[in-house]
Amino acid sequence: MLGGFGGFPDRVFLISVGNDKYAANNVAIPDGGTTNGLACFPSPDDATTYMGLLAGLSGEIVAKSFDEAREIAISKPILSCILLFVDGKIADIHWVR
């Protein structure tokens, strides 16, 4: 187990929307491009805040280790990173591709 990485905690929270699918987001990055990332949160409250910002998003908040979240992102070919959201804003990005 690697534990957390950069600003990511050892344990993160994801929003499971069923059938091994989790909330993800397409975001603008500083170089002007966009990327798709797995949405993760440092606390259940941050996940709840995120669901409140996106109309229609609901799911079960589940705890995962950073390594588990990283493996989930790697297993989804469309995702290139993990996005850490704090108070509804991106606080850190961990690239998996």
Side-chain angles (χ1 to χ4, degrees):
M1 301 272 288
L2 294 173
F5 182 85
F8 286 80
D10 293 345
R11 180 176 162 168
V12 296
F13 296 87
L14 306 178
I15 301 169
S16 173
V17 295
N19 297 323
D20 196 36
K21 295 181 182 176
Y22 299 89
N25 204 313
N26 178 271
V27 297
I29 52 177
D31 72 1
T34 61
T35 192
N36 295 310
L38 177 67
C40 73
F41 311 91
S43 73
D45 288 342
D46 282 299
T48 300
T49 297
Y50 180 85
M51 284 192 282
L53 295 172
L54 299 175
L57 175 62
S58 64
E60 178 185 357
I61 299 170
V62 295
K64 300 284 185 181
S65 71
F66 172 80
D67 292 340
E68 288 171 319
R70 187 173 189 282
E71 289 302 317
I72 289 167
I74 289 170
S75 75
K76 311 291 183 186
I78 195 169
L79 300 179
S80 58
C81 62
I82 302 171
L83 302 165
L84 180 66
F85 285 89
V86 178
D87 294 329
K89 297 179 181 145
I90 298 171
D92 206 347
I93 298 174
H94 174 73
W95 299 98
V96 299
R97 322 191 149 40

